[in-house]
Amino acid sequence: MNKPKMAAEKGASRVLMLLGQLERLNEEPKASDTDATRQITGKILHLIQTQEKTRKEMVSKGSSGMEVILSFLENTRDLQTTLNILSILNELLTVGGGRRTGVFVSKGGTAILLQLLVSSSKDLPLNEELMLHIHSLLVKVGPKDRKFGVKARLNGALNVTVNLVKHNLQNYKLLLPCVQVLRVYSGNLVNAVSLGKSGALELMFEIIGPFSKKSTTLLKAALDTLAALLKSKMNARRALDRGYMPTVLAIYQDWHRNDTRHRHMIIRKSILGCIKNLTNIKLGRKAFIDANGMRILYSTSTECLPVRTLDPLVNTSSLIMRKCFPKNRLPLPTIKSVYQHALSHIPAGGPVAQLYSQPPGVDDVVDESDENEATEVDTENDTENEDDEIDHKTQNYDIETDINKLLPRQMQTCPFDELRVYERFCLEFTHDFEDNDFESHGSVMPPTSIEPDLHCPLIIPTTLAPISPQNSHPQNIQPPQSNHSPLELDSISISKTLECKHDPDLVCSLGLLVLDDGVSMNGGYGGGPQEESGDQAEIEVPDTAALLPLHDPDLYLEMVKSTRSVPAYTEVAYPDYFGHVALNLREPILERVYGVQSRMKIFQDIERLIHPSDILDIVVYDLDNMSCPILENGESLKFNSKFESGNLRKAIQVRKFEYDLILNSDINSNHYHQWFYFEVGNMRPGVRYRFNIINCEKSNSQFNYGMQVLMYSVQEAINGSPQWVRTGSDICYYKNHFSRSSIAAGGQRGKSYFTMTFTVTFQHKDDVCYFAYHYPYTYSMLKMHLQKLSALRTAEIYYRQDELCETLGGNSCPLLTITAMPESSSNEHISQFRSRPVAFLSARVHPGETNSSWVMKGSLEFLMSCSPQAQSLRESYIFKIIPMLNPDGVINGNHRCSLSGEDLNRQWQNPNAELHPTIYHAKSLLQYLRATGRTPLVFCDYHGHSRKKNVFMYGCSIKETVWQTNVNTSNCDLHEDLGYRTLPKLLSQMAPAFSLSSCSFVVERSKEATARVVVWREIGVQRSYTMESTLCGCDQGKYKGLQIGTRELEEMGAQFCMGLLRLRHFTNPLELHNHNSHLVDMENDMPNITSTTTHVLEEDEPAFLEEVDYSAESNDENDPDLEPDLQGNRVLPDPSSDSELSRQDSLT
């Protein structure tokens, strides 16, 4: 049993002895020692070949075996000894993986091999065995040595290997390792350029060729080398100038045709890799098109589609075709919005000034060249130091590192006398309540005079039933008198049907919907020709107050009349008029079907180029051409978006059941295409219609991760389901071939738009359906809800509605004050009333984030409810609420901007009273509160998030920002109360949609002008937040795997209020004694935060961790809109944990 072990130990000691002899011979070399060195190295080789322990002994920690071998190799001049040592090294590095190779590299082995290669090349004739051994070792060593390319170039080894290849094209044994070494050389771009000049490209094309079952390993090595060489744009040009593009395509076709059993897929993929690199330059893309490459790859990929294992070929072919697809002009006369709004003054250098300062005749839709190629020089950028710079490149330079800027500072931007004007918004602080008469002290809207339980037949305009001039004026509607030109609802006809009785049952009530004789029942959209008299279909709309207590169709129309839009809308969308009843059913996040992008959508787009005769290209809706004829062929869908919050600029029928859709830019802007809301009619049931929104701008979307569009069917509403529902299949979001001009892309050239595509099958003939990005919530709807809420006021509720200001568009921006009435007018109760802290809430600064309005609706309904918790909350705070900071943007269908063409959430640092009135007056009100000693305890701005799931918060923290940097700060700089984390932690315990792990408290430079940061820094509100609600759904908690709906959003608004109630007790525990224990469930101690991740953010929407290949050039393009990988950031320690608190104590 012990004999093998003893033998192994004896062998190990023997190799050490031999190494010692070799070391002595190396120190005192003699000519007579040649035979001895041959014998010693031969014995060592034998031991290594036969005993694994000997190999381990040679490279074990503390062993000098590798140094001795390399030293002797460097000094010996005997060929046989050199061959023995090279064989020893080859045996050592063949087994043992990267660790032994790492030892070899660390001992300087790479340089010794390269020097040996160069010196041996001077001895003619060359020894083939020696060259074979050296190159075999270089193949193993090169990939493990980061400096290999530089060392090879400096030692002059490049040309040696190239010459060996030239003279040994028929010598497979030597040719293979030489080609493999060329591949490693070419990993360095400088080397690749040099090798290209030395003829390496031509040599590789001599090796590769048509299908053959012989020498496939050599062919694969040559293809990989060629692909590496072609990464150099100079080499790619050289190959194209020599006409190699048709050659490569022909070779790929031949391999595709003959590799019927798919045993050589890896070779076929390598050929595609060469084509991919050739097409990285404009000349290559042109050569690809000229060589009929689109048709070749399209046909070969189509044949590969049924075989799942060939997906790598399909994906690479798809990437090449999409990249080479000729860039098309977006079919628009200009990318500027169809609508314009004149501004009182345009700041020089601002976005609007730049927008309208373009010289006449400049095409802002597409650049003269769609390329963004820098001219290469002979010495292209060396990349051997890339690994050293990885950490440098992944740093986020948006993090604020200036401690002075991080420290909150209260700024008095204007004298207090100028702020006194805002006292009228804070009457509750001065009113004595002796007369207990609140009507005279507020601007509470009077109850509507319209009786909600009366049925109202309504004319809703359609693309199918044009409005007759004879019936263009509303009946029984008197527009309000105003200095402004009032909105005339030319297309709305109202007539009261007093005889109708109210039916409380929704389904029965919907059954009362009637249409005039001779007009098909399609929600008011007549399918046949209109009568000469201009009579229109009338829909009798029932009362749904039981299910929609805050919705009244008649009141909604009254609100619409006073809403002013830039296009002067005269139409009302059916869903806004009739309302939306939240679904009782849960809508799961759509499972992403395998291959939707590469297998279906992208190939259908490529077919447009392959088979252009199949494309109809019929414009069926165009805001730029209001005289665009309405087709009455019965085949085309009919579109409309000329109603409040609508956004659809153009619709083009490209195939019988496929339409390209183009969204309108924000007014006074040339971009921000994301929000959509439009109407579709004249559909056939049971047909799969495909819709492509082709001018999206963001580089990714939750549409790639299970989010669906929303659809509202008029026929379904009539049948008893007045609801927005998630719909659509084959949904994906990907880069398309429509060029985005540098004017629209912030000066960057070569950018493309993105397509969001979905497929819908309609259920009813000639139905009228509405599609939206998210649940619409219009400004008129807000006004209606506020009037209905005011009617809910009880004697215990203090409610006042003021007009904060008038917007650029002439609309009112409401400001609400909500709290509890004092118990009496005694000094004690009045003092308690006035000592309540202020909570300041706002929403909808970005019009496209409609979910924020639904969350706000939930908060307002909770605050105005009669529950004990709501009363307790009102007794705990005085609420100042601006439910819609950007009414104009909401009304006009903008996604992000106001009528000033600017993002209002970037104007808080220095708002302009004329251009940004809502922000200016909101900030001034906050400054007034601070100046009067009533700085809000909490500020929260409600937002929506299109690229992340769940609901979460962004806050502000000095410590957590500093932890993301390497800034050295003194202890006093990092003194900070952790109270900013309390509310998010409470919400994570209470609200099922809230995710604490998604919250962030880092302050970024790009956010210094946002509400959250300015209110924290300048007003001094420690608990200043942005609350983001997903547009998609949740991936954790109770709603995991479900898309979010209005019920969940309103629930989040109510839960936020409950969180404020609990926060109040944590911030002032003495008040616990003033409330009955049954009013609210309290906790004595805050539990520890167990899962918190603070991400460094760029823009309002950071990159999410889900990955998908959505872009044809995703590996080659650095998209400024795509934020850095969050996984590269450090996960911050938990500031509320015991260990972290100890650390913070030491810091402070």
Side-chain angles (χ1 to χ4, degrees):
M1 294 292 294
N2 294 331
K3 287 184 178 180
K5 183 178 179 180
M6 293 176 62
E9 291 176 354
K10 183 177 180 180
S13 60
R14 186 178 179 189
V15 77
L16 293 177
M17 178 186 67
L18 293 172
L19 287 171
Q21 295 176 6
L22 195 62
E23 187 176 13
R24 288 192 293 274
L25 289 173
N26 190 36
E27 293 173 354
E28 300 176 0
K30 296 180 181 178
S32 58
D33 293 337
T34 301
D35 292 338
T37 57
R38 291 179 180 178
Q39 291 179 3
I40 294 172
T41 53
K43 291 177 181 179
I44 294 174
L45 175 61
H46 175 73
L47 289 173
I48 289 177
Q49 289 174 335
T50 57
Q51 298 179 6
E52 171 62 22
K53 190 165 186 179
T54 301
R55 291 194 289 269
K56 294 181 179 179
E57 184 80 16
M58 287 283 293
V59 293
S60 62
K61 188 175 182 180
S63 172
S64 60
M66 186 67 76
E67 291 97 319
V68 173
I69 292 294
L70 289 175
S71 177
F72 207 88
L73 176 64
E74 186 177 18
N75 296 325
T76 186
R77 297 294 178 267
D78 179 60
L79 177 60
Q80 185 58 50
T81 301
T82 300
L83 292 174
N84 286 346
I85 294 177
L86 291 176
S87 298
I88 291 171
L89 293 172
N90 197 41
E91 289 288 338
L92 287 174
L93 302 185
T94 300
V95 182
R99 193 189 67 81
R100 292 183 182 179
T101 306
V103 173
F104 177 87
V105 172
S106 66
K107 304 300 182 183
T110 304
I112 293 173
L113 280 181
L114 292 170
Q115 292 166 7
L116 178 61
L117 173 63
V118 174
S119 61
S120 300
S121 67
K122 298 175 182 178
D123 300 332
L124 300 177
L126 294 178
N127 186 286
E128 180 179 325
E129 185 178 4
L130 178 61
M131 294 294 109
L132 177 62
H133 277 295
I134 294 175
H135 281 88
S136 297
L137 280 170
L138 290 176
V139 171
K140 296 181 176 67
V141 172
K144 302 296 183 181
D145 191 343
R146 293 192 308 171
K147 304 292 184 181
F148 182 77
V150 179
K151 294 175 182 177
R153 185 172 67 251
L154 295 179
N155 280 283
L158 304 184
N159 287 333
V160 175
T161 304
V162 170
N163 290 329
L164 278 173
V165 173
K166 285 181 181 178
H167 296 96
N168 292 276
L169 290 174
Q170 305 304 319
N171 185 352
Y172 173 82
K173 185 177 180 180
L174 178 58
L175 185 59
L176 177 60
C178 289
V179 171
Q180 291 173 331
V181 171
L182 283 179
R183 165 66 186 89
V184 185
Y185 289 163
S186 304
N188 180 287
L189 277 180
V190 177
N191 288 355
V193 173
S194 178
L195 290 170
K197 292 179 179 179
S198 300
L201 282 173
E202 291 78 2
L203 289 174
M204 294 306 104
F205 277 102
E206 289 188 44
I207 298 173
I208 65 176
F211 176 79
S212 173
K213 295 182 179 180
K214 298 180 180 180
S215 306
T216 54
T217 304
L218 175 61
L219 180 60
K220 175 66 169 61
L223 287 168
D224 289 344
T225 303
L226 179 60
L229 290 169
L230 293 175
K231 286 184 178 180
S232 160
K233 294 181 180 180
M234 183 172 293
N235 286 341
R237 287 194 178 90
R238 182 178 288 108
L240 293 166
D241 290 341
R242 286 162 173 73
Y244 286 140
M245 177 64 81
T247 303
V248 179
L249 286 170
I251 292 173
Y252 181 72
Q253 269 188 303
D254 188 67
W255 278 87
H256 171 79
R257 194 163 38 243
N258 291 282
D259 186 24
T260 55
R261 296 189 177 183
H262 312 305
R263 293 179 176 176
H264 303 291
M265 186 191 73
I266 191 169
I267 291 179
R268 292 157 66 183
K269 185 178 179 182
S270 295
I271 301 173
L272 288 176
C274 296
I275 300 173
K276 175 178 174 290
N277 290 342
L278 280 171
T279 55
N280 280 339
I281 61 175
K282 183 179 181 180
L283 183 64
R285 293 190 281 276
K286 182 179 183 301
F288 179 82
I289 297 294
D290 293 344
N292 207 20
M294 283 293 236
R295 193 174 296 274
I296 291 172
L297 290 194
Y298 176 80
S299 60
T300 56
S301 299
T302 304
E303 294 172 9
C304 292
L305 285 176
V307 185
R308 182 76 175 265
T309 56
L310 298 182
D311 278 358
L313 302 182
V314 175
N315 294 338
T316 306
S317 297
S318 170
L319 188 149
I320 295 170
M321 287 187 287
R322 292 171 64 193
K323 181 168 53 175
C324 295
F325 202 114
K327 290 292 182 69
N328 288 353
R329 173 194 173 91
L330 205 63
L332 293 175
T334 175
I335 55 173
K336 293 191 286 288
S337 173
V338 175
Y339 308 116
Q340 298 180 21
H341 179 78
L343 301 177
S344 58
H345 80 278
I346 301 177
V352 179
Q354 296 174 10
L355 185 67
Y356 294 104
S357 63
Q358 298 295 329
V362 171
D363 188 353
D364 64 351
V365 179
V366 67
D367 298 324
E368 293 182 4
S369 171
D370 66 346
E371 303 298 327
N372 185 22
E373 300 180 66
T375 302
E376 301 85 21
V377 294
D378 289 350
T379 57
E380 297 191 20
N381 292 332
D382 200 345
T383 59
E384 49 263 50
N385 293 324
E386 284 181 351
D387 292 335
D388 296 335
E389 299 176 359
I390 288 177
D391 294 336
H392 177 72
K393 290 181 179 180
T394 57
Q395 290 180 6
N396 189 320
Y397 295 99
D398 193 33
I399 303 176
E400 182 58 74
T401 57
D402 188 337
I403 297 297
N404 293 325
K405 291 184 178 180
L406 285 174
L407 292 173
R409 62 182 188 279
Q410 296 187 7
M411 300 175 60
Q412 190 70 35
T413 57
C414 58
F416 181 72
D417 287 343
E418 296 182 18
L419 293 175
R420 286 186 184 276
V421 67
Y422 296 95
E423 184 178 355
R424 63 191 177 95
F425 299 135
C426 302
L427 299 178
E428 65 277 5
F429 293 120
T430 57
H431 186 45
D432 56 17
F433 294 95
E434 289 185 358
D435 54 2
N436 199 25
D437 179 9
F438 306 102
E439 294 287 347
S440 60
H441 298 280
S443 57
V444 179
M445 298 176 65
T448 174
S449 60
I450 299 176
E451 294 179 287
D453 60 341
L454 298 180
H455 303 292
C456 305
L458 170 70
I459 299 301
I460 303 179
T462 81
T463 55
L464 303 178
I467 301 304
S468 169
Q470 300 157 289
N471 195 29
S472 61
H473 296 288
Q475 304 172 14
N476 301 333
I477 293 184
Q478 298 297 324
Q481 300 298 319
S482 171
N483 294 330
H484 297 276
S485 176
L487 171 64
E488 294 184 1
L489 302 178
D490 292 338
S491 57
I492 296 181
S493 176
I494 298 293
S495 62
K496 293 291 182 182
T497 309
L498 300 178
E499 298 81 12
C500 296
K501 297 181 179 179
H502 170 64
D503 189 339
D505 184 84
L506 175 63
V507 177
C508 295
S509 296
L510 286 170
L512 296 175
L513 293 175
V514 296
L515 301 176
D516 285 351
D517 294 339
V519 183
S520 60
M521 182 181 293
N522 57 6
Y525 298 75
Q530 290 293 312
E531 297 290 335
E532 292 183 3
S533 64
D535 290 342
Q536 297 173 317
E538 291 190 352
I539 300 179
E540 188 173 333
V541 181
D543 174 38
T544 55
L547 294 178
L548 297 172
L550 296 186
H551 192 91
D552 182 341
D554 294 327
L555 179 58
Y556 184 79
L557 290 183
E558 290 297 316
M559 299 300 103
V560 169
K561 289 192 301 183
S562 61
T563 297
R564 292 176 170 82
S565 62
V566 173
Y569 291 130
T570 60
E571 303 178 10
V572 175
Y574 189 98
D576 302 330
Y577 170 78
F578 190 59
H580 158 72
V581 178
L583 283 173
N584 289 323
L585 299 177
R586 299 289 171 79
E587 296 175 295
I589 292 175
L590 194 66
E591 183 178 353
R592 185 174 173 81
V593 179
Y594 177 80
V596 167
Q597 282 189 192
S598 61
R599 293 177 177 272
M600 297 173 57
K601 303 301 181 182
I602 294 172
F603 276 83
Q604 289 174 11
D605 286 351
I606 292 170
E607 286 175 3
R608 298 191 188 191
L609 184 66
I610 305 297
H611 306 295
S613 60
D614 295 343
I615 304 304
L616 300 177
D617 199 25
I618 301 173
V619 177
V620 296
Y621 181 73
D622 190 359
L623 288 182
D624 291 285
N625 180 17
M626 299 307 294
S627 61
C628 177
I630 298 177
L631 301 178
E632 297 294 347
N633 56 13
E635 295 291 336
S636 301
L637 294 177
K638 300 192 176 180
F639 296 83
N640 184 30
S641 65
K642 291 177 284 189
F643 45 79
E644 186 174 348
S645 294
N647 190 327
L648 178 65
R649 181 171 187 166
K650 193 170 186 176
I652 305 169
Q653 186 177 12
V654 293
R655 294 185 178 96
K656 187 174 182 180
F657 302 115
E658 181 178 354
Y659 295 81
D660 282 353
L661 309 179
I662 301 176
L663 305 180
N664 194 21
S665 301
D666 286 3
I667 292 179
N668 281 336
S669 171
N670 59 13
H671 55 302
Y672 298 121
H673 310 117
Q674 189 166 344
W675 166 257
F676 58 86
Y677 184 18
F678 58 89
E679 159 200 308
V680 177
N682 198 41
M683 66 281 292
R684 293 183 182 180
V687 173
R688 287 172 56 83
Y689 287 91
R690 176 181 171 183
F691 300 95
N692 313 306
I693 300 176
I694 62 174
N695 65 330
C696 300
E697 294 172 321
K698 290 198 173 183
S699 55
N700 210 334
S701 168
Q702 280 291 315
F703 283 118
N704 272 337
Y705 304 100
M707 187 168 84
Q708 295 176 281
V709 299
L710 284 149
M711 186 181 80
Y712 191 107
S713 165
V714 172
Q715 190 63 54
E716 286 296 319
I718 292 173
N719 294 339
S721 301
Q723 295 161 332
W724 284 100
V725 296
R726 299 278 186 173
T727 191
S729 60
D730 296 346
I731 300 175
C732 62
Y733 188 98
Y734 59 91
K735 181 178 290 184
N736 61 32
H737 55 275
F738 289 103
S739 179
R740 188 179 175 194
S741 71
S742 59
I743 296 175
Q748 299 182 72
R749 288 180 172 268
K751 294 293 182 181
S752 296
Y753 286 103
F754 291 78
T755 291
M756 195 288 285
T757 179
F758 62 97
T759 301
V760 173
T761 301
F762 298 103
Q763 301 301 315
H764 306 286
K765 183 178 186 298
D766 292 333
D767 192 4
V768 175
C769 295
Y770 293 79
F771 291 98
Y773 180 66
H774 198 68
Y775 299 93
Y777 191 102
T778 66
Y779 173 67
S780 298
M781 194 180 299
L782 171 69
K783 292 192 293 182
M784 175 188 65
H785 286 162
L786 293 184
Q787 184 151 331
K788 299 287 282 185
L789 279 171
S790 69
L792 299 178
R793 186 187 56 165
T794 64
E796 292 80 17
I797 301 176
Y798 181 97
Y799 175 92
R800 191 179 71 251
Q801 179 175 331
D802 299 297
E803 180 183 286
L804 177 67
C805 62
E806 188 176 89
T807 67
L808 290 176
N811 294 288
S812 172
C813 179
L815 168 67
L816 309 180
T817 301
I818 303 176
T819 187
M821 290 289 293
E823 294 183 22
S824 71
S825 59
S826 67
N827 291 336
E828 179 183 359
H829 289 153
I830 295 298
S831 176
Q832 290 176 352
F833 175 88
R834 294 176 179 174
S835 65
R836 295 172 187 169
V838 173
F840 202 109
L841 310 181
S842 62
R844 206 68 182 279
V845 70
H846 294 146
E849 297 168 4
T850 58
N851 49 355
S852 65
S853 282
W854 290 99
V855 176
M856 178 60 76
K857 179 175 180 285
S859 294
L860 291 175
E861 288 190 41
F862 181 88
L863 280 169
M864 295 299 292
S865 69
C866 297
S867 69
Q869 291 88 349
Q871 179 62 20
S872 179
L873 179 64
R874 291 190 294 266
E875 293 173 359
S876 299
Y877 294 93
I878 294 175
F879 284 90
K880 296 292 181 181
I881 302 174
I882 307 175
M884 191 171 284
L885 276 167
N886 192 352
D888 291 340
V890 172
I891 294 166
N892 293 286
N894 285 5
H895 173 66
R896 196 170 185 86
C897 298
S898 69
L899 294 185
S900 69
E902 298 168 293
D903 181 349
L904 291 182
N905 201 35
R906 295 296 186 276
Q907 311 305 322
W908 279 80
Q909 265 189 332
N910 188 27
N912 184 291
E914 295 182 8
L915 295 177
H916 325 115
T918 60
I919 305 303
Y920 178 86
H921 292 291
K923 182 177 181 181
S924 297
L925 175 58
L926 285 162
Q927 290 174 330
Y928 172 79
L929 290 172
R930 184 200 64 198
T932 56
R934 296 183 177 91
T935 300
L937 179 67
V938 175
F939 172 88
C940 189
D941 190 19
Y942 293 4
H943 281 255
H945 207 293
S946 69
R947 294 205 243 182
K948 290 184 71 176
K949 292 183 171 67
N950 310 312
V951 181
F952 51 93
M953 277 181 159
Y954 298 147
C956 301
S957 166
I958 299 175
K959 284 186 177 180
E960 299 198 31
T961 304
V962 170
W963 284 338
Q964 289 284 354
T965 69
N966 296 320
V967 176
N968 294 321
T969 59
S970 62
N971 290 342
C972 60
D973 291 333
L974 293 181
H975 179 72
E976 186 176 44
D977 185 359
L978 294 176
Y980 64 89
R981 279 186 169 264
T982 308
L983 182 57
K985 180 58 191 292
L986 288 170
L987 291 176
S988 70
Q989 298 169 349
M990 303 167 59
F994 194 88
S995 171
L996 185 63
S997 63
S998 298
C999 295
S1000 170
F1001 304 94
V1002 174
V1003 179
E1004 308 87 7
R1005 293 189 179 100
S1006 62
K1007 306 301 183 307
E1008 62 182 7
T1010 61
R1012 165 177 62 98
V1013 177
V1014 170
V1015 172
W1016 170 71
R1017 181 179 293 166
E1018 297 184 17
I1019 308 300
V1021 179
Q1022 181 195 31
R1023 298 174 178 85
S1024 180
Y1025 306 104
T1026 297
M1027 187 165 72
E1028 301 274 359
S1029 300
T1030 179
L1031 291 164
C1032 177
C1034 299
D1035 59 12
Q1036 53 87 47
K1038 174 183 175 182
Y1039 300 134
K1040 182 177 181 180
L1042 299 176
Q1043 297 187 77
I1044 203 160
T1046 56
R1047 187 188 306 275
E1048 291 75 32
L1049 291 170
E1050 292 184 48
E1051 176 191 71
M1052 185 64 236
Q1055 293 288 1
F1056 178 82
C1057 291
M1058 287 297 298
L1060 288 178
L1061 179 57
R1062 296 177 65 183
L1063 173 70
R1064 179 63 177 135
H1065 293 295
F1066 281 118
T1067 54
N1068 190 354
L1070 294 178
E1071 289 194 14
L1072 285 172
H1073 302 293
N1074 299 327
H1075 297 277
N1076 295 327
S1077 60
H1078 71 278
L1079 294 181
V1080 60
D1081 178 24
M1082 299 300 300
E1083 294 179 359
N1084 293 326
D1085 299 310
M1086 282 288 292
N1088 290 330
I1089 299 175
T1090 56
S1091 60
T1092 177
T1093 304
T1094 299
H1095 298 312
V1096 180
L1097 308 179
E1098 187 175 297
E1099 289 195 344
D1100 283 348
E1101 300 185 356
F1104 42 85
L1105 302 184
E1106 300 166 297
E1107 295 182 357
V1108 63
D1109 180 18
Y1110 60 88
S1111 168
E1113 299 170 352
S1114 57
N1115 296 326
D1116 305 316
E1117 180 182 9
N1118 293 321
D1119 194 324
D1121 294 331
L1122 186 62
E1123 295 80 351
D1125 185 358
L1126 297 181
Q1127 298 189 59
N1129 299 325
R1130 290 178 292 164
V1131 177
L1132 297 185
D1134 179 2
S1136 65
S1137 64
D1138 294 339
S1139 59
E1140 192 51 41
L1141 288 172
S1142 300
R1143 177 190 169 197
Q1144 292 165 6
D1145 291 340
S1146 65
L1147 292 174
T1148 56

